[in-house]
Amino acid sequence: MLAPLTNGQSHADGTLSDAELRWLTMRAEGGFGLTMTCAAHVHANGQGFAGQLAIHDDRHLPGLTRLAETLRARGSASAVQLYHGGMRADPALCGERVAPSDDAKTGARAMTTAEVEAMRDAFIAAGRRAERAGFDGVELHGAHGYLLAQFISPQYNRRDDAYGGTLENRARLLHEIIGGLRRQCGPDFQIGVRLSPERFGMRLAEVRELAAGLLRDALIDYLDLSLWDVFKMPHEDAHADRSLLAHFTDLPRGDVRLGAAGKLMSAHDAVAALDAGCDFVVIGRAAILRHDFADRVLADPAYAAPPLPVAPDTLAAEGVSPVFVDYLRTFGGFVADGDTAPAT
């Protein structure tokens, strides 16, 4: 599966650009079984990045429909990642920041109960819009400290209504969105959830409990774990008896599929993740470096993505536009400016 990757290539109004269409189409052509968009904001006040794809208005439908049709024609399943930045939204792009609770550091204000309910409906409406556009499904971005993760976190969610307090209440928004999508979308429409069990105020034991419930309830089709490193040990000493991934692979999952992302850069890494209990692997950085990483892995059990840094012209040949290259420059050691030698 192609990881949902921020790339900044869409138009300022959130409509799809030719550059983003090319970037995603090349990955579908390169053998990815599921091609996912970047995080697409479901409300105008949820945008976190310039050039971010949006799905909060019907004016976004023509581009989304074009993308879904193109991915299907290339033989890949398709998904839109649904997202709201919450306190991590960019006020220069979206105005006032909102969050589960007041946050002095970011200036975000607490949402009213009515606003939380309206946000739930915005996520569900965005999912229905993705279905209308022809996508096979959506993934709910409950990771990386964005709005859904903020609600789950006891550090950032200090509410005293039905959406705060116990883990059950803090996860209520996520569960209500899942339930609404399942009721209002077709039976074959895929629903995925992305979770990160560490950082951003998350507690591993709680995320494990949440994941166990999602797998048990079987209202979703897959759970996507963003681990930063699939093979790392937990940060919390109390849970350092086994790998972070192992805290989830032993959970009963029925027909729900489990995948993980984090530094999977070779065929060996992908096989190791599957052997560790994953049903699928989620590829980010390696998919930027090689649009056909999936096909190369299937063809060569010794294949590994090129080492970093790589030259801008190498990235351009892989469908990475200049604005995306500029974004990658914010990650130290990714782009080797001045070096035009192709990566191997």
Side-chain angles (χ1 to χ4, degrees):
M1 183 172 104
L2 177 69
L5 295 165
T6 299
N7 58 72
Q9 295 179 124
S10 282
H11 296 302
D13 64 356
T15 55
L16 181 78
S17 70
D18 288 343
E20 190 151 16
L21 177 68
R22 178 172 181 258
W23 145 257
L24 291 168
T25 300
M26 286 181 67
R27 272 71 205 162
E29 292 171 342
F32 283 90
L34 191 154
T35 302
M36 187 175 295
T37 71
C38 66
H41 46 296
V42 303
H43 193 286
N45 69 2
Q47 184 175 359
F49 306 95
Q52 190 168 17
L53 189 68
I55 191 169
H56 59 78
D57 192 280
D58 283 354
R59 71 173 180 272
H60 302 124
L61 272 172
L64 293 169
T65 302
R66 181 185 177 201
L67 174 58
E69 291 173 347
T70 303
L71 296 179
R72 178 171 288 107
R74 300 307 190 275
S76 178
S78 61
V80 180
Q81 190 186 57
L82 305 183
Y83 145 104
H84 188 288
M87 67 178 66
R88 299 192 69 198
D90 186 344
L93 299 171
C94 65
E96 181 183 38
R97 284 176 168 143
V98 296
S101 303
D102 291 331
D103 184 72
K105 183 177 180 180
T106 62
R109 68 161 178 83
M111 301 168 68
T112 66
T113 302
E115 286 175 324
V116 177
E117 293 168 345
M119 188 63 68
R120 171 200 63 204
D121 295 343
F123 270 92
I124 296 168
R128 295 181 64 190
R129 197 168 282 118
E131 185 178 40
R132 286 168 58 197
F135 285 89
D136 294 300
V138 293
E139 178 180 86
L140 301 175
H141 197 347
H144 301 178
Y146 297 119
L147 185 68
L148 295 180
Q150 291 161 27
F151 268 89
I152 296 166
S153 167
Q155 178 178 337
Y156 297 114
N157 183 347
R158 302 177 301 281
R159 303 177 68 89
D160 59 7
D161 63 359
Y163 295 95
T166 64
L167 175 60
E168 179 183 6
N169 283 357
R170 285 182 274 121
R172 187 179 303 278
L173 176 59
L174 175 62
H175 284 295
E176 288 184 348
I177 294 168
I178 294 169
L181 289 170
R182 191 51 75 202
R183 288 189 300 273
Q184 297 188 36
C185 296
D188 295 328
F189 191 67
Q190 298 176 8
I191 302 173
V193 171
R194 172 166 264 209
L195 297 175
S196 49
E198 294 185 326
R199 300 167 59 176
F200 302 109
M202 308 303 281
R203 296 175 178 172
L204 176 52
E206 287 195 338
V207 178
R208 175 182 158 86
E209 182 180 346
L210 173 60
L214 291 171
L215 296 172
R216 181 180 59 251
D217 295 343
L219 292 177
I220 64 172
D221 296 283
Y222 60 89
L223 182 62
D224 165 15
L225 298 173
S226 183
L227 304 181
W228 293 278
D229 182 343
V230 166
F231 307 110
K232 74 183 296 294
M233 299 299 289
H235 285 163
E236 298 177 42
D237 291 340
H239 302 289
D241 59 318
R242 51 186 168 153
S243 73
L244 189 58
L245 177 62
H247 284 78
F248 298 88
T249 53
D250 67 344
L251 294 172
R253 68 186 79 158
D255 292 331
V256 182
R257 298 294 179 252
L258 179 70
K263 296 185 178 179
L264 297 175
M265 299 295 292
S266 68
H268 176 271
D269 293 341
V271 170
L274 295 175
D275 287 345
C278 288
D279 296 306
F280 63 94
V281 291
V282 185
I283 306 299
R285 182 179 299 179
I288 298 173
L289 298 172
R290 284 290 181 264
H291 76 280
D292 56 350
F293 176 84
D295 279 345
R296 289 175 185 250
V297 163
L298 291 172
D300 180 4
Y303 179 74
L308 298 176
V310 294
D313 61 341
T314 299
L315 293 169
E318 297 297 329
V320 180
S321 73
V323 68
F324 195 178
V325 172
D326 285 343
Y327 176 70
L328 293 173
R329 286 192 178 100
T330 67
F331 298 88
F334 202 110
V335 181
D337 284 333
D339 179 5
T340 59
T344 58

